[in-house]
């Protein structure tokens, strides 16, 4: 059993601490045109109103970090990601997570960001390791490492652990400390493979036991193609928190999801006197009364 590591992320004025004996850090997933048609159409039209509203709403709902994805087909991604970052920073002051596979967009994002960002992501492919790790080192950013490599996505938790080990080793070689590596076990759709949830949960447990690193995951992916996704997402995220998930990428606006996270934190002993749970309950009551 290794010790639990601390990952620090920073915005201009705020520091977020990701650690296994602290409450779960929610990374808000909504600023992402690839999964959301309304965001895609607004960004294609040069309209950032939805992005600004998504930033405000997610932070109000409990996101401590925001994922920023600028994947609009045909768009100049380096320019677009900078525009999104500026709009988001005008309305909220939380650390950002740059969700892109394009090294130019990543460099553009890091170059204007004030603080310590989370890069989303590197993986075990040679090309990715060589492109992304030097940028993480140069900008002092933390980085999410996906458990896949040149051979694809491994089918067993043990093989995913081996990919995580390689990413950690390659990062260490260029001077990135292990606490700045956050591992993503890869949550794939259970509609395509009913074992994919189980493999992700087992990978989390193995990686935590071996390295004590923080764990992120796209916790909504698991339910793609299924009806009533919110119940699957909320159950799965609670189980994953027990296994060692510390910073899920998810949608805090979904009541079932945010309450599952808060109840999991309470159940893990990370909510003294249940004060966070009670505060969230009062907020929901107030919103109901206002509606
Ligand atoms: N790991 C890491 N990063 C990731 C993922 C991951 N980034 C992208 C993705 N997976 C996580 N982000 C999302 C964003 C949206 C949705 C799911 C995951 C989503 N969207 C709804 C849909 O497609 O049905 C649309 C919702 C709407 O229109 O409001 O579910 O795994 N490191």
């Amino acid at each position: 059993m290794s010790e639990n590591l601390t990952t620090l992320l920073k915005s201009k004025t705020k520091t977020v601490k990701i650690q296994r004996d602290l409450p779960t850090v929610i990374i808000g997933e909504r600023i992402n045109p690839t999964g959301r048609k309304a965001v895609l159409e607004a960004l294609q039209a040069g309209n950032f109103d939805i992005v600004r509203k998504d930033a405000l709403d997610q932070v109000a709902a409990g996101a401590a970090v925001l994922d920023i994805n600028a994947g609009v087909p045909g768009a100049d991604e380096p320019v677009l990601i900078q525009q999104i970052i500026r709009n988001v920073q005008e309305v909220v002051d939380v650390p950002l997570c740059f969700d892109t596979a394009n090294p130019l967009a990543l460099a553009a994002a890091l170059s204007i960001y004030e603080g310590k960002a989370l890069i989303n992501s590197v993986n075990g492919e040679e090309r990715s390791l060589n492109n992304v790790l030097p940028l993480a080192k140069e900008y002092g950013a933390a980085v999410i490492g996906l458990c896949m490599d040149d051979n694809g996505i491994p089918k067993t938790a043990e093989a995913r652990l081996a990919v995580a080990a390689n990413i950690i080793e390659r990062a260490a070689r260029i001077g990135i400390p292990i606490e700045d590596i956050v591992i993503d076990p890869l949550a794939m759709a259970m509609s395509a493979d009913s074992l994919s949830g189980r493999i992700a949960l087992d990978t989390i447990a193995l990686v935590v036991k071996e390295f004590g690193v923080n764990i992120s995951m796209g916790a909504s992916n698991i339910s793609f193609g299924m009806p009533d996704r919110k119940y699957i997402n909320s159950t799965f995220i609670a189980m994953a928190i027990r296994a060692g998930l510390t910073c899920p990428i998810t949608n805090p606006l979904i009541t079932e999801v945010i309450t599952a996270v808060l109840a999991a934190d309470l159940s893990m002993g990370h909510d003294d006197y249940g004060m966070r749970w009670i505060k969230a309950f009062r907020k929901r009551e107030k919103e109901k009364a206002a509606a």
Side-chain angles (χ1 to χ4, degrees):
M1 197 73 189
S2 22
E3 67 174 318
N4 288 324
L5 300 170
T6 303
T7 307
L8 296 179
L9 303 180
K10 294 176 190 173
S11 64
K12 222 173 194 175
T13 69
K14 277 196 196 137
T15 297
V16 169
K17 208 174 184 182
I18 308 170
Q19 201 176 290
R20 200 155 287 99
D21 53 8
L22 290 176
T24 302
V25 168
I26 293 175
I27 303 174
E29 76 180 10
R30 289 177 59 80
I31 303 176
N32 188 337
T34 57
R36 297 179 58 217
K37 205 158 163 250
V39 179
L40 176 64
E41 286 168 359
L43 290 177
Q44 278 167 336
N47 180 344
F48 294 90
D49 292 350
I50 295 189
V51 162
R52 294 164 80 102
K53 183 172 183 326
D54 274 335
L56 282 166
D57 288 351
Q58 290 186 101
V59 170
V65 176
L66 295 177
D67 188 75
I68 307 291
N69 183 305
V72 172
D76 184 339
E77 196 180 334
V79 170
L80 185 59
I81 200 166
Q82 287 189 341
Q83 289 173 322
I84 296 176
I85 292 165
R86 291 202 174 93
N87 274 275
V88 168
Q89 284 182 328
E90 276 172 29
V91 293
V92 295
D93 180 28
V94 297
L96 301 181
C97 171
F98 301 130
D99 190 348
T100 176
N102 177 342
L104 295 175
L106 179 58
L110 291 165
S111 72
I112 62 158
Y113 184 70
E114 287 180 62
K116 180 177 175 188
L118 180 58
I119 294 172
N120 186 10
S121 53
V122 71
N123 64 52
E125 294 170 7
E126 270 312 308
R127 200 170 60 98
S128 174
L129 293 164
N130 292 329
N131 280 333
V132 178
L133 292 180
L135 284 171
K137 171 71 180 163
E138 180 182 352
Y139 289 96
V143 56
I144 297 176
L146 306 182
C147 291
M148 56 182 278
D149 63 14
D150 290 299
N151 298 314
I153 302 174
K155 292 203 175 7
T156 67
E158 290 74 16
R160 290 190 195 184
L161 170 67
V163 176
N166 185 47
I167 293 170
I168 290 167
E169 141 81 18
R170 291 288 295 268
R173 237 192 267 171
I174 66 163
I176 300 170
I178 186 168
E179 60 267 25
D180 280 340
I181 305 295
V182 173
I183 294 297
D184 182 334
L186 289 180
M188 311 301 291
M190 295 192 291
S191 55
D193 176 358
S194 55
L195 280 182
S196 59
R198 179 59 193 266
I199 294 168
L201 294 171
D202 289 350
T203 303
I204 294 173
L206 280 185
V207 171
V208 168
K209 183 159 182 253
E210 183 78 16
F211 296 109
V213 290
N214 281 302
I215 304 285
S216 186
M217 183 167 69
S220 319
N221 306 354
I222 207 85
S223 62
F224 278 131
M226 284 292 195
D228 255 352
R229 292 178 60 187
K230 57 185 183 286
Y231 300 114
I232 299 174
N233 293 347
S234 56
T235 300
F236 182 71
I237 206 168
M239 295 176 76
I241 288 168
R242 176 62 185 105
L245 174 69
T246 47
C247 48
I249 302 168
T250 192
N251 182 353
L253 300 184
I254 298 174
T255 304
E256 287 80 356
V257 169
I258 186 78
T259 51
V261 170
L262 289 164
D265 285 345
L266 178 62
S267 307
M268 295 293 282
H270 300 158
D271 183 1
D272 290 346
Y273 305 102
M275 292 309 288
R276 297 174 83 250
W277 177 263
I278 293 165
K279 196 174 156 213
F281 165 73
R282 291 200 178 124
K283 182 168 165 275
R284 288 198 301 280
E285 291 295 297
K286 230 167 125 184
E287 283 163 1
K288 259 192 251 165

